[in-house]
Amino acid sequence: MQRRARQWQEAGKAVVLVPTMGCLHRGHASLMERARELAGRKGRVVVSVYVNPRQFGPQEDFARYPRDLKGDQRLCRAAGVDVVFAPEDAEMYPADFSTAVAEEKLAGGMEGAARPGHFRGVATIVAKLFNAVQPTAAVFGAKDFQQAAVIRRMTRDLNFPVKIVVAPTWREADGLALSSRNQYLSPAQREQATVLWQAIKRAQETVAQRPAAAARLRRETAWTIAAQPEARLDYVEFFDPETLQPVKMVKPGTQMALAVFVGRTRIIDNARL
Ligand code: AMP
């Protein structure tokens, strides 16, 4: 990959990277479309497919995370992707690998608090992918809002010459954000999983009337989630979309993010209110 990347760079080509963990769906495809727009017809679009062990906690679903490289390659071909970069673990992490990249401000709350070490794993693999692919731009999904903020900060802090682009969340008709993990849901759980979007909509409607205390919206969100028998709220936060700092009063423009267990499956979502 690195040799090819150098050739593209010497030819002055735009190279746009879409990092993924595979099991690709329509949401990923929308990032590829954005990547093609950014790369132009003469540029290159690279999709990396790598289930990065270092971003999973010891109790998480690394071993059973869905993998389908053949299907991924088909989807990438259909989306006009130039290269699918699917490295092996040994290529990414030699046995004596001993370095990590850690963003230390934005990565602390929400997903970082619920999943210790997660963003360290994410920042490390994205830094490695940037070095391997040498992209001029990289596209991430707003679905993982905090991740995009951490990557943007890391890119600036470490002087990666990469433009970070964040593309909107792709949703099912009933509002559920597409995710590779949705496959884990039983039909009953799948129905209940729309509760995240319902909670977001409800908060959106409330603050469209007048600003509301975050404490009140947290309570209302907890009730909305609790109405579904298999759903359990992990966290909900209301925060400034730039600094990720929690706010006391929520108004239009505040970001809302939540994580919910539906059965054993952990689902996250977020939106600008
Ligand atoms: P993943 O394979 O889940 O690690 O996701 C790879 C990239 O796709 C990340 O930048 C995600 O934010 C993005 N992504 C995942 N699901 C969606 C979605 N429903 N809509 C838009 N982007 C998504």
Side-chain angles (χ1 to χ4, degrees):
M1 184 74 240
Q2 232 141 349
R3 188 151 24 92
R4 223 168 347 177
R6 213 163 14 232
Q7 285 164 358
W8 292 338
Q9 206 182 30
E10 279 160 16
K13 285 194 188 303
V15 177
V16 185
L17 172 66
V18 182
T20 81
M21 297 206 300
C23 198
L24 300 175
H25 51 63
R26 190 64 188 85
H28 295 117
S30 70
L31 304 191
M32 296 171 202
E33 287 161 10
R34 190 70 214 282
R36 175 53 66 196
E37 280 170 22
L38 291 161
R41 269 191 315 126
K42 293 195 177 130
R44 295 284 184 267
V45 173
V46 180
V47 171
S48 61
V49 173
Y50 183 59
V51 185
N52 172 34
R54 289 183 184 239
Q55 70 189 70
F56 289 79
Q59 309 301 327
E60 292 181 3
D61 57 342
F62 173 69
R64 67 183 192 117
Y65 194 85
R67 291 160 169 87
D68 176 19
L69 188 56
K70 284 261 149 58
D72 293 345
Q73 282 162 333
R74 258 197 311 274
L75 186 144
C76 287
R77 227 183 346 260
V81 167
D82 296 296
V83 174
V84 177
F85 176 48
E88 298 291 330
D89 283 337
E91 189 181 345
M92 284 288 116
Y93 298 114
D96 56 354
F97 185 89
S98 55
T99 304
V101 177
E103 191 286 327
E104 298 188 317
K105 258 237 152 64
L106 306 174
M110 297 188 282
E111 289 302 285
R115 307 179 65 189
H118 171 65
F119 284 123
R120 201 178 154 93
V122 169
T124 302
I125 194 66
V126 171
K128 286 171 66 65
L129 291 169
F130 282 2
N131 282 327
V133 178
Q134 312 248 330
T136 49
V139 184
F140 294 85
K143 156 93 184 342
D144 299 274
F145 188 84
Q146 188 181 13
Q147 168 175 283
V150 168
I151 297 298
R152 201 191 284 285
R153 178 66 59 86
M154 174 203 78
T155 303
R156 189 205 66 184
D157 286 355
L158 298 186
N159 302 89
F160 282 109
V162 182
K163 178 181 156 122
I164 304 299
V165 174
V166 180
T169 302
W170 194 278
R171 299 179 181 281
E172 306 277 14
D174 64 6
L176 177 66
L178 267 68
S179 163
S180 311
R181 288 190 169 98
N182 293 352
Q183 295 190 3
Y184 298 149
L185 301 168
S186 70
Q189 291 169 343
R190 165 65 189 81
E191 239 170 74
Q192 295 176 39
T194 57
V195 74
L196 285 88
W197 184 237
Q198 285 161 16
I200 289 172
K201 280 293 186 208
R202 207 166 271 193
Q204 244 159 8
E205 283 159 18
T206 303
V207 303
Q209 304 291 321
R210 66 183 70 85
R216 173 188 152 200
L217 290 176
R218 261 201 298 276
R219 268 196 312 275
E220 284 179 3
T221 302
W223 289 330
T224 305
I225 304 297
Q228 301 299 327
E230 294 205 57
R232 181 169 61 79
L233 182 63
D234 189 4
Y235 68 76
V236 54
E237 293 286 352
F238 299 91
F239 55 96
D240 179 288
E242 297 298 325
T243 63
L244 309 195
Q245 283 301 306
V247 297
K248 285 215 166 66
M249 285 306 285
V250 181
K251 42 186 196 289
T254 301
Q255 197 78 21
M256 170 177 179
L258 73 170
V260 174
F261 282 97
V262 181
R264 283 176 54 209
T265 304
R266 189 168 176 281
I267 299 177
I268 60 171
D269 203 349
N270 74 88
R272 191 74 48 99
L273 297 182

